[in-house]
Amino acid sequence: MAEGSWGDAASPEIDWRMSAALENVPRGLDELVEVTSLEKAVRAWLDLDPCHQEDAILIPQRPLIVDGVSMIEVRGDNIGSLALELPDAKQVDPASRPEPDDAG
């Protein structure tokens, strides 16, 4: 069972496919909860403006273990720290990333 963080035995590998909700962010005229994969939720956070990034709350299906600490939710800039661990984060500059298509 892979819960998630980076690094050592106290922080197992992140399961980017687990479900996650990105909350407290605008979707159209309402602020709705969107459930998707952890990876897609973190990538969606990267596309938010700074004000909405600060207010965002990421709730993974299972707690993430970061530096030995279990987290049931991740807020604001801490989501940005998690984004640095995305599977291709070390290979591709986020600014050069192509826009997501409708298929996700």
Side-chain angles (χ1 to χ4, degrees):
M1 175 165 102
E3 292 182 349
S5 176
W6 40 93
D8 55 36
S11 297
E13 185 175 328
I14 296 171
D15 177 4
W16 292 105
R17 297 173 300 163
M18 81 167 84
S19 296
L22 185 60
E23 298 185 2
N24 221 25
V25 297
R27 293 185 186 22
L29 299 176
D30 299 315
E31 291 200 9
L32 302 173
V33 175
E34 179 178 282
V35 176
T36 186
S37 71
L38 177 61
E39 179 177 357
K40 288 181 181 178
V42 171
R43 291 186 190 283
W45 179 88
L46 288 169
D47 292 334
L48 296 172
D49 64 68
C51 179
H52 288 114
Q53 284 181 339
E54 184 177 316
D55 293 338
I57 302 169
L58 179 70
I59 301 177
Q61 174 185 359
R62 296 181 301 277
L64 295 173
I65 300 174
V66 179
D67 296 329
V69 176
S70 180
M71 297 178 5
I72 59 171
E73 65 180 39
V74 185
R75 295 176 174 261
D77 289 339
N78 290 326
I79 301 171
S81 296
L82 187 60
L84 296 174
E85 301 304 320
L86 283 164
D88 62 355
K90 293 174 179 71
Q91 300 169 3
V92 178
D93 175 17
S96 67
R97 205 168 29 91
E99 291 297 315
D101 60 18
D102 290 337

